[in-house]
Amino acid sequence: MALDADQTAKVQDWIQAHPFKPCPMCRKVTWKVADPVGLPFILGTNTGKALPSLPFICSGCGMTILINLSNVGLP
């Protein structure tokens, strides 16, 4: 799912409030934001539930961190 203008503004506000640190793998500060994803819960039986997350990807090495969408202010 691509972000609309309002959602993009919320992400930008969240980034302003939480400045990026250097990547723990390559020490570069070259993070980019990818489209939100829903990660399936795997533990136990398949419940059909997902963990909506916003990926941040290091352009230097590809390390990816996931931030829960509700922490960013997105549904």
Side-chain angles (χ1 to χ4, degrees):
M1 133 184 137
L3 298 173
D4 63 26
D6 290 335
Q7 292 169 326
T8 299
K10 284 185 180 183
V11 170
Q12 290 171 342
D13 291 344
W14 187 88
I15 291 170
Q16 289 292 324
H18 304 85
F20 284 113
K21 306 280 191 266
C23 173
M25 294 291 286
C26 69
R27 297 291 183 217
K28 295 182 180 179
V29 185
T30 55
W31 297 99
K32 63 181 179 178
V33 180
D35 287 339
V37 296
L39 301 174
F41 285 106
I42 299 173
L43 297 175
T45 60
N46 186 356
T47 63
K49 294 181 180 179
L51 179 65
S53 302
L54 187 63
F56 290 87
I57 304 167
C58 175
S59 298
C61 69
M63 180 174 178
T64 303
I65 60 170
L66 300 170
I67 304 297
N68 189 294
L69 283 182
S70 63
N71 286 33
V72 180
L74 299 176

